[in-house]
């Protein structure tokens, strides 16, 4: 399998500024709204101007072409926001969840920048991991309570009948709990499924999984989708076996691993009925996922 190129899939139409910045009270969503549309592409630039004027010599002289100017501006804007997205993306992969939470709390508008860029990148992936997870949930029990850790645009909550706790760093949607997901306000042993879809970003990612372990009921599912290259030892990534082993040591069994997608790997774990956390767990470092410049 060729090493994956990060870029792609996705979708998230992201929230507007000014959302709840602090951790909210528990809330859940079980709406069935259609998935949010993709971020709108930049407006098409107008065709090059054909207007010409005569100068003193009587010769036709081209006026500045407004269409070209605006298309150049569009390109420059796209390039700048792409660069800004990549900077924020790198930041999220190289700081702790708490630092990321504080960072976006100081300027929630940056979160929109991040998610617009993320959506653009994801639109190039042949398959969206979040859709695979949504379909998996749909084929199981609608009475299961779900926690979507790092929910993004809360696509899971919008597309399944289950009760879903959507969790992310910033929210202006009352159904999304804004917090660092290492410390959620969910009760212990209260959910049947914990999802991490491309969201194990912080340097302290094991603490997110520990939190999922806390809130999951015995026998509950832990579903993880991660970017393939982060778990590709031939490419500087972590060994997926070591990653699974660490989660098994946390008290889970690996039920299945889905490697068939080009861009991501899916893991399905279940919390053991009598789970016990190993004294010391050797967590592999997950390398940052750096998206291609487009
Ligand atoms: N799961 C969504 C979004 C993936 S992008 C999807 O598949 O579409 C990763 C998300 O994880 C981002 O929205 C980011 O804000 C969130 N995230 C990363 N670290 C987090 C943390 N410590 N606490 C809460 N959310 C976090």
């Amino acid at each position: 399998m060729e090493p994956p190129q990060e870029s792609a899939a996705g979708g998230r139409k992201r929230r507007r500024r000014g959302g709840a910045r602090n951790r909210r009270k528990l809330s859940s969503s079980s709406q069935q709204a259609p998935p949010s549309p993709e971020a709108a592409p930049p407006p098409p630039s107008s065709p090059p101007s054909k207007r010409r004027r005569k100068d003193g010599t009587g010769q036709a002289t081209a006026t500045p072409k407004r269409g070209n100017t605006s298309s150049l501006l569009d390109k420059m804007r796209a390039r700048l926001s792409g660069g800004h997205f990549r900077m924020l993306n790198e930041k999220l992969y190289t700081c702790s969840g708490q630092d990321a939470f504080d960072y976006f709390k100081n300027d929630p508008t940056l979160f929109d920048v991040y998610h617009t860029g993320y959506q653009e990148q994801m639109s190039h992936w042949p398959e969206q991991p979040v859709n695979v997870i949504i379909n998996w949930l749909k084929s199981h029990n609608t009475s299961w309570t779900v926690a979507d850790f790092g929910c993004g645009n809360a696509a899971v909550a919008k597309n399944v009948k289950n009760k879903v706790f959507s969790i992310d760093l910033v929210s202006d949607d009352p159904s999304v709990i804004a917090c660092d997901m290492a410390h959620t306000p969910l009760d212990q042993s209260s959910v049947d499924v914990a999802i991490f879809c491309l969201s194990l970003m912080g340097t302290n990612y094991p603490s997110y999984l520990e939190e999922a372990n806390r809130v999951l009921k015995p026998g509950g599912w832990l579903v993880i989708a991660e970017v393939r290259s982060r778990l590709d030892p031939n490419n500087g990534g972590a060994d997926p076996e070591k990653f699974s082993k660490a989660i098994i040591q946390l008290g889970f069994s690996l039920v299945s691993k889905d490697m068939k997608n080009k861009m991501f790997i899916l893991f399905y774990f279940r919390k053991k009925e009598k789970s016990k956390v190993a004294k010391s767990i050797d967590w592999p470092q997950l390398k940052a996922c750096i998206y291609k410049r487009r």
Side-chain angles (χ1 to χ4, degrees):
M1 174 68 69
E2 61 177 309
Q5 296 277 2
E6 279 78 65
S7 52
R12 331 178 29 147
K13 168 139 186 199
R14 216 21 165 109
R15 5 179 107 123
R16 291 166 298 282
R17 71 179 64 185
R21 295 172 196 185
N22 298 312
R23 182 184 299 184
R24 287 173 192 264
K25 281 267 167 233
L26 280 192
S27 64
S28 68
S29 165
S30 56
Q31 321 150 36
Q32 267 197 294
S36 306
E38 297 281 307
S45 42
S46 38
S49 165
K50 292 200 174 128
R51 279 187 303 125
R52 295 172 82 83
R53 66 177 167 77
K54 300 262 181 177
D55 66 10
T57 65
Q59 288 189 323
T61 305
T63 55
K65 292 183 180 164
R66 209 178 255 185
N68 282 353
T69 311
S70 66
S71 97
L72 185 66
L73 277 173
D74 285 345
K75 274 190 198 146
M76 284 165 71
R77 276 194 203 106
R79 191 162 281 197
L80 273 175
S81 73
H84 205 170
F85 159 72
R86 284 191 300 280
M87 185 278 280
L88 292 169
N89 182 63
E90 195 171 332
K91 162 101 192 144
L92 286 176
Y93 277 113
T94 51
C95 73
S96 69
Q98 184 60 50
D99 284 349
F101 182 69
D102 293 340
Y103 188 73
F104 284 123
K105 196 168 148 184
N106 283 338
D107 188 352
T109 61
L110 293 179
F111 205 64
D112 297 341
V113 175
Y114 175 75
H115 279 294
T116 302
Y118 174 83
Q119 189 163 353
E120 206 289 314
Q121 289 288 335
M122 295 299 276
S123 68
H124 300 280
W125 283 25
E127 176 76 273
Q128 312 285 311
V130 73
N131 289 340
V132 178
I133 293 173
I134 287 168
N135 288 334
W136 179 84
L137 271 176
K138 281 182 172 168
S139 68
H140 287 83
N141 200 331
T142 53
S143 71
W144 282 348
T145 300
V146 178
D148 185 9
F149 286 82
C151 64
N153 66 350
V156 174
K158 289 174 186 163
N159 286 283
V160 299
K161 290 187 175 152
N162 306 59
K163 174 177 176 177
V164 180
F165 294 107
S166 301
I167 299 156
D168 211 304
L169 293 165
V170 174
S171 159
D172 68 356
D173 180 331
S175 73
V176 176
I177 303 166
C179 66
D180 167 21
M181 63 191 173
H183 306 284
T184 72
L186 304 186
D187 289 338
Q188 74 173 45
S189 306
S190 60
V191 306
D192 301 282
V193 184
I195 296 170
F196 290 88
C197 186
L198 309 191
S199 57
L200 293 176
M201 302 181 83
T203 49
N204 59 323
Y205 83 86
S207 61
Y208 308 152
L209 296 170
E210 283 159 10
E211 177 66 355
N213 187 32
R214 184 185 72 78
V215 304
L216 271 172
K217 297 174 186 170
W221 289 88
L222 171 64
V223 182
I224 301 176
E226 253 319 324
V227 179
R228 229 184 149 98
S229 63
R230 303 189 77 199
L231 292 159
D232 177 3
N234 299 322
N235 198 18
D239 179 352
E241 299 302 322
K242 197 172 172 191
F243 179 67
S244 303
K245 195 173 160 207
I247 295 171
I248 291 166
Q249 288 180 312
L250 192 58
F252 290 80
S253 318
L254 177 61
V255 179
S256 62
K257 193 161 69 175
D258 176 353
M259 308 273 286
K260 66 175 177 292
N261 289 287
K262 185 179 170 203
M263 309 302 283
F264 58 91
I265 304 182
L266 266 161
F267 299 88
Y268 297 87
F269 294 95
R270 280 192 89 170
K271 181 169 170 174
K272 290 187 182 141
E273 289 295 334
K274 288 197 172 139
S275 80
K276 201 167 162 245
V277 181
K279 278 210 182 80
S280 107
I281 302 180
D282 186 14
W283 292 101
Q285 205 183 337
L286 295 181
K287 76 167 187 171
C289 161
I290 305 297
Y291 289 91
K292 273 201 302 190
R293 190 174 149 180
R294 293 185 171 276

